[in-house]
Amino acid sequence: MCNCNCDSLKATAVKAGETYVTVEAAATAAAEQALVAYCQNTFSVGGVMLDASGNVLNAINNNVVKNNMTSDPTAHGERQLIDWYYAQIEAGEEMPPPSDITIVTSLDPCCMCTGSIITGGFNVISAAFDTYSGINWDTQADFPTLSPELAQVAKNTFSYPAVNGNNCFTRDASSAPVPAFFADAVMDVQTVALCETAFDATLTQVKASINTDLTPDQLKDIKDLPAGDPVVVALKALYPDALSYTAPSRGQPDEGLAPYLIAAANQDIAQGGTGNAVAFLDYYGNLLMCLSGNEKASLIQTAFLLVTRNYAQLRYNLRSSLSDDEVLPYLAHPKYGTFVFAHGPDESSHSLIELGAYGSTMEGALPPDNMNSFQYGVPTIAQADLDAYCQKLPPLYSSEIQVHPQQVTNSDLINALIAGLPKP
């Protein structure tokens, strides 16, 4: 872990307006962002966004961890760059179309970032492979996780340039060719080695640094706090209906949850979505929030991303102003709670975003007594097809976390959602 003063590195990191005419120069810029992440004690990944002439539009490092606390499990470099792009458009800035933009990332995109890139229609160049959580985890550029349609999109837009040298990092180019504005399409082996080893060397340490949450036997019911407690006040400021519903038992929501999901699903339609919504119930079954997406603001702001991001930032902000003893017993790690989606996932790029973000939120293996923390009301595809799809996810998701969304078991809740959810 980094304990040095890295202000000089941040000051000299790539900035908007610079131009890169070789893949190596762009990969070096992404590597510099990965080093900024390293010095922040977060996951050592970074990326730059280029226009069709190689001009830098923006550059950013991973920001999942700040001050040795999880700030936002979705704050991967690629996802942040794409949300930034849509924020510029919303602010009235003239931006190139996504098809004319290339994201150069130090590490192969994860499921969430892959779904975001494909949904938005961007191009991507990856420096280092990631055989555990990257979408090209088998390094063959056949994208076995993706449906045939999305795999073809990836083959046309995801680039893995050649790497020079004669060692384990050396490789031939695969998948899509790099954009034509690059005069040289080969990356230096030392740059790729830096990108991969910086990430691998810090992965375990970063996970350990943020693994400070309490175990279930140390948790307390937030409903026992007085209404004026800062934790309750902050939660209800974020979601006014928080704590107004409690499931009959842990992980077993009933029809009482339906009105919240239906209301949020209608809001999702109004905000450019397809009518999905996600509720988060804590260890005791209390409803902490139920939100829609906001695809009018950004095509990748799905309901789950906003739920997990808001919950993480709620915890981060409270822990920054209160003691952990005042916060963590009542706002537990999300792996001990239950996420309930109005509609189940399928093989679309939007679902890939959410499956990947769920994996990032869990941060590791699920608790043995809470393996069904990802639930949904109305199926989009058959459960058997969904199970088969999740088994094809990269090893982090399919083997370690064992992502496997399941339909809620309460038939009254299912029927209420079928009857009440808006039709896309």
Side-chain angles (χ1 to χ4, degrees), residues 71-74 235 238-239 260-261 264 267-268 276-282 286-294 300-315 332 334 337-342 354 357-358 361-362 373:
S71 170
D72 176 0
T74 76
L235 175 62
L238 179 63
Y239 181 64
Y260 303 94
L261 285 166
Q267 185 177 13
D268 189 67
N276 209 352
V278 176
F280 179 53
L281 310 179
D282 70 7
N286 300 314
L287 175 64
L288 298 188
M289 61 185 69
C290 183
L291 304 179
S292 70
N294 188 7
I300 64 170
Q301 285 192 11
T302 66
F304 180 78
L305 259 68
L306 294 188
V307 167
T308 190
R309 188 181 307 166
N310 275 283
Y311 183 66
Q313 291 178 348
L314 172 69
R315 288 184 4 126
T338 306
F339 293 97
V340 184
F341 289 60
E354 299 198 308
Y358 170 78
T361 299
M362 295 301 101
S373 61

Side-chain angles (χ1 to χ4, degrees), residues 67-70 206-215 218 315 319 324-325 328-329 331 333 335-336 363:
N67 300 315
N68 294 321
M69 296 183 288
T70 298
V206 172
K207 284 185 174 181
S209 74
I210 59 176
N211 187 22
T212 57
D213 279 279
L214 304 181
T215 55
Q218 298 172 300
R315 288 184 4 126
R319 293 178 69 189
D324 278 358
D325 289 342
L328 295 185
L331 297 177
H333 191 289
K335 67 185 177 184
Y336 296 122
E363 298 178 335

Side-chain angles (χ1 to χ4, degrees), residues 114 141 195 352 378:
T114 295
C195 291
L352 187 63
V378 180

Side-chain angles (χ1 to χ4, degrees), residues 47 55 104 106 169 187 218 322 381:
N55 301 311
V104 183
S106 63
F169 296 102
M187 290 187 294
Q218 298 172 300
L322 303 173
I381 59 176

Side-chain angles (χ1 to χ4, degrees), residues 193-403:
L194 172 62
C195 291
E196 183 171 330
T197 57
F199 176 74
D200 289 344
T202 58
L203 180 60
T204 300
Q205 291 173 297
V206 172
K207 284 185 174 181
S209 74
I210 59 176
N211 187 22
T212 57
D213 279 279
L214 304 181
T215 55
D217 60 298
Q218 298 172 300
L219 300 180
K220 299 177 182 179
D221 193 339
I222 191 173
K223 291 182 76 173
D224 292 336
L225 290 174
D229 186 273
V231 174
V232 176
V233 170
L235 175 62
K236 291 201 170 188
L238 179 63
Y239 181 64
D241 286 333
L243 310 182
S244 59
Y245 166 81
T246 301
S249 59
R250 182 188 182 198
Q252 297 292 323
D254 63 7
E255 67 275 14
L257 183 61
Y260 303 94
L261 285 166
I262 292 169
N266 278 298
Q267 185 177 13
D268 189 67
I269 293 282
Q271 295 186 165
T274 58
N276 209 352
V278 176
F280 179 53
L281 310 179
D282 70 7
Y283 179 80
Y284 294 93
N286 300 314
L287 175 64
L288 298 188
M289 61 185 69
C290 183
L291 304 179
S292 70
N294 188 7
E295 293 178 38
K296 277 187 176 179
S298 169
L299 288 181
I300 64 170
Q301 285 192 11
T302 66
F304 180 78
L305 259 68
L306 294 188
V307 167
T308 190
R309 188 181 307 166
N310 275 283
Y311 183 66
Q313 291 178 348
L314 172 69
R315 288 184 4 126
Y316 177 84
N317 291 334
L318 285 170
R319 293 178 69 189
S320 298
S321 59
L322 303 173
S323 70
D324 278 358
D325 289 342
E326 295 174 285
V327 179
L328 295 185
Y330 303 100
L331 297 177
H333 191 289
K335 67 185 177 184
Y336 296 122
T338 306
F339 293 97
V340 184
F341 289 60
H343 294 279
D346 54 22
E347 296 184 355
S348 67
S349 61
H350 269 83
S351 287
L352 187 63
I353 293 173
E354 299 198 308
L355 290 165
Y358 170 78
S360 297
T361 299
M362 295 301 101
E363 298 178 335
L366 296 172
D369 64 344
N370 196 34
M371 296 298 291
N372 293 329
S373 61
F374 188 142
Q375 300 184 22
Y376 62 87
V378 180
T380 305
I381 59 176
Q383 184 67 53
D385 293 334
L386 180 56
D387 291 342
Y389 176 62
C390 289
Q391 283 299 310
K392 297 189 298 180
L393 295 173
L396 169 67
Y397 311 94
S398 58
S399 298
E400 180 179 347
I401 299 173
Q402 298 182 40
V403 176

